[in-house]
């Protein structure tokens, strides 16, 4: 079993499609082992996305991620990291395949509905950024 970290981003929470995303997660065979609704400060978003700090969209991305509540999740499954990236779809919803969350619900390359760890190293940073051991069941 492998764990990955996911976020349902502010665009999805604002549009009341949280339940649709959670349904796709469960239908995809993932177990939700941690879940919380929180609102990040700009500073917390910057800490979460520090690997992107040199990219031109970093400021806009952190403003977007802190503009409203998000759902933070830890998902468990065999091959969870790669399978969750597959279910999310391409970063730009315009390029995402049928059946993916970003194809179904994404708005733009920035407001693309979901986040997922891209490697075991990322998951090891991102899971404890949001959850302590007692919150993972
Ligand atoms: P990923 O979320 O598919 O792994 P990354 O390249 O790691 O994509 O980018 C992180 C997040 O930054 C994306 O999910 C998206 O919200 C935002 N982003 C990526 N590229 C752009 C861009 O060109 N313009 C604006 N926002 C972007």
């Amino acid at each position: 079993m492998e764990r990955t970290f996911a976020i349902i981003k502010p665009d999805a929470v604002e549009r009341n499609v949280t339940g649709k995303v959670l349904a796709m997660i469960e239908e995809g065979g993932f177990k939700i082992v941690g879940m919380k609704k929180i609102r990040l400060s700009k500073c917390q978003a910057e800490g979460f996305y520090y690997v992107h700090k040199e990219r031109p969209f970093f400021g806009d991305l952190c403003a977007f991620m802190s503009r409203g509540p998000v759902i933070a999740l830890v998902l468990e499954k065999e091959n969870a990291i790669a399978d969750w990236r597959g279910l999310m779809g391409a970063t730009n919803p315009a390029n995402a395949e049928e059946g993916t969350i970003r194809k179904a619900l994404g708005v733009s390359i920035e407001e693309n509905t979901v986040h997922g760890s891209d490697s075991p190293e990322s998951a090891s940073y991102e899971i404890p950024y949001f959850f302590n051991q007692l919150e993972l069941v």
Side-chain angles (χ1 to χ4, degrees):
M1 282 297 167
E2 185 176 60
R3 287 180 175 182
T4 191
F5 178 73
I7 298 179
I8 305 178
K9 294 184 177 184
D11 66 281
V13 177
E14 285 162 8
R15 287 178 289 134
N16 272 354
V17 295
T18 302
K20 286 188 180 157
V21 177
L22 291 173
M24 290 177 83
I25 288 170
E26 294 193 321
E27 283 158 13
F30 296 87
K31 291 283 176 213
I32 297 169
V33 297
M35 176 159 70
K36 63 171 84 167
K37 185 173 194 176
I38 54 161
R39 175 148 186 195
L40 292 170
S41 67
K42 183 99 188 293
C43 192
Q44 288 166 333
E46 288 167 358
F48 177 70
Y49 276 123
Y50 81 98
V51 289
H52 294 308
K53 63 182 184 300
E54 306 301 338
R55 296 174 81 175
F57 56 82
F58 180 70
D60 286 346
L61 174 61
C62 295
F64 161 53
M65 290 299 288
S66 57
R67 84 176 183 208
V70 300
I71 310 293
L73 296 154
V74 177
L75 307 178
E76 190 173 80
K77 184 182 182 296
E78 267 177 38
N79 209 26
I81 294 171
D83 285 0
W84 173 235
R85 301 277 304 175
L87 182 57
M88 290 199 308
T91 305
N92 188 345
N95 302 329
E97 287 180 23
E98 278 306 327
T100 64
I101 293 170
R102 285 168 166 170
K103 172 74 176 179
L105 298 168
V107 176
S108 68
I109 191 167
E110 177 175 81
E111 300 196 13
N112 57 8
T113 308
V114 280
H115 166 84
S117 306
D118 63 5
S119 64
E121 293 71 32
S122 301
S124 301
Y125 176 75
E126 293 174 357
I127 291 171
Y129 196 85
F130 282 84
F131 293 93
N132 67 46
Q133 274 300 324
L134 289 174
E135 295 171 311
L136 300 177
V137 291

